[in-house]
Amino acid sequence: MVPKFLFSASFVLFFLLHCPPALAQSPAAAPAPPGPINVTKVLEKGGQFSVFIRLLKATQEDVTLNGQLNNTNNAITIFAPSDSAFSSLKSGTLNSLSDQEKAELVQFHIIPQFLSSSLFQTVSNPLTTQAGSGGRLELNVTTTGNSVNITTGLTNTSVSGTIYTDNQLAVYQVDKVLLPLDIFTPKPPTPAPAPEKPKKRSKAAASPESPADTSGAVSFTVLNNVVFFGVCMVAAIYSL
Ligand SMILES: *[C@@H]1O[C@H](CO)[C@@H](O)[C@H](O)[C@H]1NC(C)=O
Ligand SMILES: *[C@@H]1O[C@H](CO)[C@@H](O)[C@H](O)[C@H]1NC(C)=O
Ligand SMILES: *[C@@H]1O[C@H](CO)[C@@H](O)[C@H](O)[C@H]1NC(C)=O
Ligand SMILES: *[C@@H]1O[C@H](CO)[C@@H](O)[C@H](O)[C@H]1NC(C)=O
Ligand SMILES: *[C@@H]1O[C@H](CO)[C@@H](O)[C@H](O)[C@H]1NC(C)=O
């Protein structure tokens, strides 16, 4: 408790000592347009998000976010897990994820709307995240007093600090990684992946003369469309 406070205090002191000159200088040095916000830079300034930054880069979500923020019509809220949040995960958790799951995990921490702290009180649950919505991607936010609690069905935590906020982007620190049910609970059985073979055949069916290719459902549809297209062509020619 105490060391953490001291750390925060010294950080604030560092910030106070070093930042005003930098802030005062930059408008003079760069009268050019300030450019869009850079999420990576915001997190780097926060000082304790190196794992999350690494994940953002690895999944190219940083590029996506910066692109979205370049359009002032887009607003974004990020629940950024601190490095200690990642280090308290069961070891090997991140390494066990596929690239797609890593992207989903990152996107699950990003809400495509601007949530100021007062909006937390009126937000309607569950929130939609960049990873999507629905029962397996549930993210609920509730407030009690000054605390903003977050639950995913697997993770309970609360917002532990505000890293950045303007009217377009809000970045809050969380000290637990928000685990979506979708990645960390067994998937419900999915129907057998049938479309593999017909897909290959439909390529061959590009030449409509080969009658052997009519066997697959997909290629049959393709053939039908070719016939339909042909009929339209004929109709178009006659209507001229
Ligand atoms: C954002 O900031 C990071 C680190 O400060 C930098 O590597 C990256 O090139 C910047 N991206 C853009 C789009 O400016
Ligand atoms: C932001 O958008 C403008 C206009 O669409 C574009 O010219 C500019 O290159 C973009 N900047 C970045 C950093 O993506
Ligand atoms: C929010 O979390 C705090 C502890 O972090 C807990 O005491 C409180 O009951 C929680 N509130 C709700 C509504 O879940
Ligand atoms: C989230 O909120 C919705 C609506 O209030 C509720 O149905 C759902 O059970 C909640 N999920 C979790 C994980 O708390
Ligand atoms: C999260 O909190 C809810 C009620 O506040 C509780 O029922 C649930 O067991 C908690 N889940 C975890 C993983 O701590």
Side-chain angles (χ1 to χ4, degrees):
M1 229 32 188
V2 172
K4 198 174 179 188
F5 171 74
L6 280 180
F7 174 77
S8 308
S10 60
F11 180 77
V12 167
L13 195 63
F14 175 86
F15 191 81
L16 287 177
L17 286 175
H18 290 79
C19 289
L23 283 176
Q25 274 166 17
S26 56
I37 316 159
N38 181 334
V39 169
T40 321
K41 221 168 242 173
V42 165
L43 288 168
E44 274 172 1
K45 266 192 189 158
Q48 47 180 324
F49 301 99
S50 58
V51 180
F52 192 55
I53 291 170
R54 211 164 66 215
L55 273 175
L56 282 169
K57 285 183 177 164
T59 57
Q60 307 235 303
E61 200 54 35
D62 59 338
V63 177
T64 306
L65 281 172
N66 288 332
Q68 287 168 341
L69 290 167
N70 189 24
N71 181 337
T72 49
N73 291 325
N74 293 327
I76 282 164
T77 298
I78 301 176
F79 293 120
S82 57
D83 288 338
S84 68
F86 281 103
S87 58
S88 65
L89 284 178
K90 218 169 67 186
S91 77
T93 301
L94 282 187
N95 287 339
S96 72
L97 300 181
S98 68
D99 289 348
Q100 198 189 338
E101 287 170 328
K102 279 180 191 156
E104 182 175 324
L105 180 64
V106 168
Q107 288 161 358
F108 189 62
H109 290 75
I110 301 165
I111 319 294
Q113 58 175 306
F114 177 75
L115 294 174
S116 65
S117 44
S118 60
L119 281 174
F120 279 134
Q121 289 163 24
T122 55
V123 86
S124 76
N125 287 318
L127 294 178
T128 295
T129 72
Q130 300 271 55
S133 58
R136 292 177 59 78
L137 287 165
E138 212 154 77
L139 182 71
N140 285 0
V141 171
T142 50
T143 54
T144 17
N146 280 335
S147 113
V148 178
N149 293 13
I150 304 172
T151 179
T152 71
L154 286 178
T155 309
N156 289 343
T157 190
S158 44
V159 167
S160 52
T162 303
I163 303 304
Y164 180 88
T165 181
D166 54 22
N167 289 321
Q168 192 190 8
L169 172 70
V171 182
Y172 299 102
Q173 177 178 342
V174 290
D175 290 322
K176 278 188 189 167
V177 178
L178 307 177
L179 303 178
L181 290 166
D182 192 44
I183 297 178
F184 296 97
T185 59
K187 296 226 190 301
T190 48
E196 260 306 315
K197 277 185 185 170
K199 233 184 198 169
K200 269 185 189 161
R201 277 185 201 158
S202 70
K203 258 183 209 158
S207 70
E209 296 96 337
S210 59
D213 287 321
T214 55
S215 54
V218 170
S219 58
F220 185 66
T221 309
V222 168
L223 207 63
N224 258 347
N225 284 339
V226 169
V227 170
F228 179 69
F229 181 68
V231 170
C232 291
M233 285 287 283
V234 170
I237 287 165
Y238 275 93
S239 73
L240 283 175

